[in-house]
Amino acid sequence: SMNYTISANSKVSFNTNYNTSIGDMMTLLTEPMQVNYRSIRTSSGIIGEANNWNTSAGWKWQLPMQYFTFSLSADHNEGKRNTLYSQHVEGIDVSSSALIRDTRSRSTNFSVSSTKSIPSLYSKLGADVSYGFGEGEQAVGEQIYKNRNSNYNLHGNVSVTPIKWLEMRYDIRYGWSCSKYAEKKNTVTSFTHTGELHVFPTALIDISANFSHVRRQITTDQHKNMALFNASAQYKFKRLILRMELDNLLNQHSYSYTVFDGVNTYSYEYGLCGRTALLKATFKL
């Protein structure tokens, strides 16, 4: 690794590492082992070997008197194994094993980020962008697929305190990912934005509210939307603290989404607790 300070406002960094691992507890275990309730794993029966090389570099530029920072970074990773991970799926049951086959993988990522504070407005702005791509191999049963993937993410946030007893925060993020294999192409998009309002008119009273809205892709033409809204109020009276929490005020009961990983498609579904109100009283001796 190397770090070099170009000037009082700028510096660069560089890091590279290489590691090798040989064997593990299950390398020679060829009989099936139950990993969890729905998954079974077996190994190839040979000594497994994995080699990995990673290199990263970054540049940071800052203007302390202007409360401004800007940074660039890049990362590259390459790996090689003498076994290939394979899956076999029946319904919701998954069995995994290793095929005796040399396989390589590689990935590259770039990112840009910047922050700016405005003391006169008691505010801070931030934004970052990332892009990555890679390729590798994966097996389903005895069928071997070469897959390529790419993704990018856009993210921004702002924090403002217009008056000393009021704080506001907002965060927004958009993501896109694509996976290609066997002349098939799958894409997933996601959009999330959250906000928070914090009011404390006196040292005894604390009122807050926050919301979150998520839009994720389920299938090619179907998206899932979820919105959450929570609020709370707290009052301190000497040693007594009274707090009222109102959760999931929009009464969202479930949330589901789908993601792609190489040749696999994973679908998730969560059950949420409905609209609730909770009153807590805490007394400190």
Side-chain angles (χ1 to χ4, degrees), residues 47-270:
I47 298 295
E49 181 179 359
N51 303 305
N52 189 78
W53 174 56
N54 176 265
T55 299
S56 60
W59 173 64
K60 185 176 183 180
W61 180 53
Q62 55 186 356
L63 301 173
M65 301 304 296
Q66 284 77 37
Y67 305 97
F68 175 79
T69 64
F70 179 81
S71 62
L72 300 172
S73 64
D75 178 273
H76 180 73
N77 187 85
E78 290 197 18
K80 178 184 177 183
R81 301 177 63 93
N82 65 343
T83 57
L84 177 62
Y85 178 75
S86 176
Q87 274 191 338
H88 181 72
V89 181
E90 291 186 2
I92 59 176
D93 295 324
V94 179
S95 60
S96 60
S97 60
L99 303 180
I100 304 175
R101 173 187 169 92
D102 288 345
T103 180
R104 295 177 180 270
S105 63
R106 64 185 63 183
S107 63
T108 304
N109 296 278
F110 303 94
S111 65
V112 181
S113 64
S114 179
T115 61
K116 169 65 176 177
S117 295
I118 308 176
S120 59
L121 300 177
Y122 301 98
S123 61
K124 183 177 181 180
L125 308 175
D128 57 85
V129 180
S130 65
Y131 172 72
F133 58 90
E135 61 182 16
E137 289 184 327
Q138 195 168 341
V140 178
E142 299 296 325
Q143 184 67 41
I144 299 173
Y145 296 94
K146 291 185 177 181
N147 61 78
R148 292 181 173 86
N149 58 79
S150 57
N151 64 84
Y152 69 83
N153 288 275
L154 308 175
H155 173 240
N157 61 82
V158 58
S159 176
V160 182
T161 307
I163 49 182
K164 63 180 181 179
W165 48 268
L166 176 64
E167 291 182 356
M168 297 183 293
R169 298 185 180 91
Y170 180 73
D171 188 284
I172 185 170
R173 183 184 299 272
Y174 176 81
W176 175 90
S177 63
C178 176
S179 178
K180 299 179 181 178
Y181 67 94
E183 299 182 353
K184 295 183 180 180
K185 179 180 178 180
N186 293 318
T187 61
V188 169
T189 60
S190 64
F191 174 74
T192 305
H193 63 113
T194 61
E196 183 177 354
L197 180 68
H198 193 61
V199 182
F200 38 95
T202 69
L204 304 178
I205 300 176
D206 188 345
I207 302 172
S208 65
N210 64 80
F211 79 92
S212 176
H213 178 262
V214 180
R215 177 180 171 85
R216 286 184 180 271
Q217 187 172 354
I218 303 298
T219 63
T220 303
D221 301 316
Q222 183 182 7
H223 291 78
K224 176 69 176 182
N225 293 280
M226 184 192 74
L228 294 174
F229 181 73
N230 307 309
S232 67
Q234 179 176 287
Y235 177 74
K236 295 181 179 180
F237 180 73
K238 295 182 179 180
R239 297 183 178 180
L240 179 65
I241 300 176
L242 297 176
R243 182 177 179 83
M244 171 66 78
E245 296 181 356
L246 304 174
D247 297 326
N248 197 5
L249 290 174
L250 301 178
N251 205 27
Q252 179 81 33
H253 289 286
S254 64
Y255 177 52
S256 60
Y257 63 93
T258 298
V259 296
F260 299 114
D261 180 17
V263 300
N264 293 319
T265 300
Y266 297 95
S267 296
Y268 299 89
E269 184 170 355
Y270 299 93

Side-chain angles (χ1 to χ4, degrees), residues 21-27 46-50:
S21 59
I22 301 175
D24 59 36
M25 290 178 59
M26 294 182 62
T27 295
I46 66 171
I47 298 295
E49 181 179 359

